[in-house]
Amino acid sequence: MSVNEIVEGVWWVGALHPDRKLFDEIIPLPDGTSYNTYLVRGSRQTALIDTVDPAKTGELVANLKELGVDRLDFVVSNHAEQDHSGSIPKILELFPEARLVTNPTCKKMLMDLLHIEEDRFQTVKDGEEMDLGGKTLKFMLAPWVHWPETMFTFLVEDNILFSCDMFGSHFSQKALYSQDDDRTLDAAKRYYAEIMMPFRMWVKKHTATVKGLAPAMIAPSHGPVWKSPGIILDAYEAWTSDETKDEILVAYISMHNSTKLMADHLVQALKEKGQKVKIFNLVEADIGELAMALVDAKTLVLGSPTFLTGPHPLAGHVAGLVGMLKPKTRKIAVFGSYGWGGRMVEQLKADLGGLNAEILEPILVKGLPREADFKALDELADKLI
Ligand code: FEO
């Protein structure tokens, strides 16, 4: 995909990155990603909305050349993170007449992150409009749809919302528009879980605002453009709601089989009682899949052996991620094993710190579990259900 016309005077000019494997050097990208940049041409002026990751600057420049863009009046920055802002310095160098349009918070961040000179900026307020000549850009502050400076840009005449990270997905597909299939929605859910979930209450508020706006299209800065925005808006409404699904996630790791025996017994007990359970062995689990499951699940059970004096590092890593992602999980239980001592449970609880969930009494076993330990796991299953 090089350039792609969305409606008359509006083009996608971004870059696909299908072979990128990690985001932030931690988030797995099974479908790669894309950086969406949009060009809006009015009768008088032309604006670029966001840019691309620095690794893809050449593609963005080539796309502008393909469209014959020899003048840019404005570069709009909806979000200062470098996967969208990283090519701004090059674009400003190539188009010295262009003004960099953003809100004051984003301006400060761009100056700090990319050393952009202050005299290139034109700051805008919430609700301010800019008429390019039959194409009016309206700027809407939308903090915490990833960072504190994020904003939307709404193209009034065409009823298109450029939503930066919100409603996005790490999904590198050649087609411009979202397909009406599970894979597309799964990619969006994975993205929501990893990027948006920590800011759920903000995202919920912005979802309601966008629903009220009733855009004809939503054009995020990653992944496909939503031509039927109802699909992603309804999904966001469900994901950000306070409702949980009756699902229990059991995430565990085992070194010498004790914790695995406990996990297997607990899962079996839950299943026998008709409970829906999702199991993640942390040795091989895709943390994106786990994050997706956390969007809806009411309960998380974490199992770990004691590694030296604390949890196994993979269990600690997952607990730390869960604490940062802040899912709406209502209940958490911890189980595991030890050989000679340690503070595994205390450390896991500290890692989970930010969660507003009830933490049940842990079950800790010295060495291999005994009959009484299996009975305790049966009782835990009852409590969890
Ligand atoms: Fe896609 Fe928060 O950057």
Side-chain angles (χ1 to χ4, degrees), residues 1 106-107 136 181 232 239 268 349 378 384:
M1 191 156 65
C106 191
K107 171 186 166 182
T136 306
D181 60 17
I232 189 67
W239 298 335
Q268 184 65 22
K349 280 185 183 172
D378 289 333
L384 293 173

Side-chain angles (χ1 to χ4, degrees), residues 16-35 52-56 81-84 170 172 222:
L16 303 180
H17 204 162
D19 52 354
R20 185 164 177 180
K21 300 291 180 223
L22 285 176
F23 199 82
D24 289 345
E25 303 303 352
I26 186 166
I27 296 171
L29 300 175
D31 300 302
T33 191
S34 63
Y35 319 106
V52 298
D53 188 274
K56 296 288 178 181
E81 192 168 12
Q82 291 88 335
D83 52 327
H84 311 294
H170 286 308
S172 176
H222 296 284

Side-chain angles (χ1 to χ4, degrees), residues 23 79 81 83-84 145-147 165 170 191 195 221-222:
F23 199 82
H79 181 17
E81 192 168 12
D83 52 327
H84 311 294
V145 291
H146 193 197
W147 284 3
D165 280 346
H170 286 308
Y191 187 87
I195 307 291
S221 54
H222 296 284

